[in-house]
């Protein structure tokens, strides 16, 4: 998946992409984020709210050039993402100053 | 020779400033956590190399960072701040009920006796505690649940718990302040709390002397006199000598008693500093002249201190956690501004100089006095 700059720095990874192993089927937005939290615990709570587990309001998800922000956490990801050909992109909304 | 280390939180990152005992030349390191709002940074009195930083972001929420080497390296600590039980509601700006929603940590207060114990004041107002060095946090729910919590309403800056003061003679006694709910005290380590706002008067309240609802901006205590606290309120500078049971106004000859910061001299418990600003709708110094006011008599008689501070065309603000004092033999006083300057006085306020002047807007300034 592809992460925004602040989360890349927080996780201490190089580049914007991280490769995750998801041991769940089907592979959904939630299971990918679970795998991300497990691999990088410092990111827990930064993409999903701790309590509700919902997407933070100012973040957006993109998959295969489509906005998946409102597909829901249990939406099953396309094969291209599952096999690593396309990333699940987390993008910060354009806001702030 | 002793050293001092300033911890400066800004709108776009944290900075660590160090100097020797002369406090003339400063080394500026940072930004740490660039681009994040650093609401507060504070070191443990038990282990001064353990420093905490509260970083938040509209996009990514709250992250808490911990350093164990004096700020050279940092690692993310636990950031799961969940209210105990059913969080319930408080009043919204329009008077309707609004769910309690965690937003960020405003203030970090490390224990005076245990390096792994830390208190956090958060928005929406509540107090959390860790006893495992920040891995896990639990709410002290007695504060929100003591009876008036549902009536608290956010101020313009949000409903934040921004001040935590621990009695050094009895750590179970703590004082906190919430904007715009007022001041509260616990005598049992946070299990139970009581409002301590008697003597406060706020014209904007339906009942100006109400038990809660007062907009307290900051409170301060001298460690040798823990029954005495000073308060900078939305309007009014206040003092209590009975642990908050009763407050009296000590604004005296201040040109305006609106402001955010208040602090007490390190060695003189009756010497107090404030930075008045013009009004609640004009958050800048009067006449464009930045002045610290000092009382050496515990309030009422105030003298302006301006030597070294800009005396024309200065329209910055000094936010509630952005003033502190060091423990050097001659007390150093520090404050940061929304214009990105950090000013220091190595002589108790008589003379000032800008030790850095082009940072992002300063949110908080804390100082550590090191061997």
């Amino acid at each position: 998946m592809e992460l925004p700059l602040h989360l890349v720095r927080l996780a201490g990874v190089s580049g914007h992409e991280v490769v995750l192993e998801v041991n769940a089927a089907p592979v959904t937005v939630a299971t990918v984020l679970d795998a991300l939290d497990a691999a990088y615990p410092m990111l827990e709570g930064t993409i999903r709210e701790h309590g509700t587990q919902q997407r933070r309001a100012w973040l957006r998800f993109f998959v295969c050039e489509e906005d998946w922000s409102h597909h829901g956490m249990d939406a099953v990801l396309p094969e291209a993402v599952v096999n690593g050909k396309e990333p699940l992109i987390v993008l910060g909304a354009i806001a702030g100053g | 020779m002793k050293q001092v280390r300033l911890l400066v939180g800004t709108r776009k990152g944290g900075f660590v400033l160090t100097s020797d005992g002369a406090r003339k030349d400063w080394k500026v390191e940072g930004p740490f956590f660039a681009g994040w709002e650093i609401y507060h940074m504070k070191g443990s009195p038990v282990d001064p190399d353990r420093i905490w930083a509260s970083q938040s972001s509209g996009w990514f929420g709250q992250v808490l960072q911990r350093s164990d080497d004096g700020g050279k390296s940092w690692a993310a600590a636990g950031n799961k701040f969940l209210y105990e039980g059913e969080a319930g509601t408080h009043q919204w700006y329009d008077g309707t009920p609004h769910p309690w929603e965690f937003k960020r940590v405003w203030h970090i207060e490390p224990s005076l006796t245990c390096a792994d114990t830390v208190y956090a004041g958060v928005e929406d107002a509540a107090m959390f505690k860790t006893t495992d060095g920040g891995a896990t946090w639990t709410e002290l729910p007695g504060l929100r649940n003591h009876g008036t919590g549902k009536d608290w309403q956010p101020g313009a800056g949000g409903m934040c718990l921004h001040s935590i003061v621990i009695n050094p003679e009895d750590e179970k006694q703590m004082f906190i302040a919430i904007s715009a709910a007022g001041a509260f005290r616990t005598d049992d380590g946070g299990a139970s709390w009581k409002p301590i706002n008697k003597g406060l008067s706020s014209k904007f309240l339906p009942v100006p002397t109400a038990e809660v609802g007062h907009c307290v901006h900051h409170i301060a205590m001298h460690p040798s006199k823990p029954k005495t606290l000073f308060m900078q309120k939305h309007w009014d500078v206040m003092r209590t000598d009975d642990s908050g049971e009763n407050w009296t106004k000590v604004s005296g000859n201040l040109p305006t008693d609106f402001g955010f910061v208040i602090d007490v001299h390190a060695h003189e418990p009756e010497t107090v500093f404030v930075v008045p600003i013009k009004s609640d709708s004009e958050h800048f110094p009067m006449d464009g002249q930045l002045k610290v006011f000092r009382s050496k008599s515990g309030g009422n008689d105030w003298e302006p201190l301006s030597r070294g501070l800009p005396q024309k065309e200065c329209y910055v603000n000094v936010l509630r956690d952005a003033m502190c004092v060091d423990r050097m033999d001659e007390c150093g006083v520090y404050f940061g501004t929304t214009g990105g300057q950090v000013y220091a006085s190595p002589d108790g306020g008589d003379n000032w100089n800008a030790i850095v002047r082009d940072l992002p807007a300063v949110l908080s300034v804390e100082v550590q006095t090191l061997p």
Side-chain angles (χ1 to χ4, degrees), chain A residues 78-94:
Chain A
E79 187 59 28
V81 175
V82 176
N83 65 26
K85 287 183 179 171
E86 290 286 338
L88 164 61
I89 300 171
V90 178
L91 198 66
I94 306 302

Side-chain angles (χ1 to χ4, degrees), chain A residues 6 44 50 56 58 93 95 97, chain B residues 12 34 58-60 65 79-80:
Chain A
H6 283 324
E44 192 180 355
H50 275 299
R56 288 194 171 276
W58 290 8
Chain B
K12 297 290 181 184
W59 289 270
F60 311 115
Q65 294 275 354
N79 69 348
K80 197 178 282 187

Side-chain angles (χ1 to χ4, degrees), chain A residues 4 6-7 9-10 42 44-46 49-51 56 58-59 92-97, chain B residues 12 33-36 55 57-63 65 76-77 79-82 102:
Chain A
H6 283 324
L7 298 190
R9 287 180 176 167
L10 184 58
M42 68 288 284
E44 192 180 355
T46 59
E49 300 260 5
H50 275 299
R56 288 194 171 276
W58 290 8
L59 296 181
I94 306 302
Chain B
K12 297 290 181 184
F33 328 114
W36 293 71
Q55 60 178 118
S57 146
W59 289 270
F60 311 115
Q62 170 71 44
V63 174
Q65 294 275 354
N79 69 348
K80 197 178 282 187
F81 290 88
L82 296 174
F102 173 81

Side-chain angles (χ1 to χ4, degrees), chain A residues 64-78:
Chain A
C64 299
E65 300 183 352
E66 277 187 41
D67 186 351
W68 273 50
S69 305
H70 301 291
H71 280 38
M73 289 290 172
D74 293 328
V76 178
L77 287 163

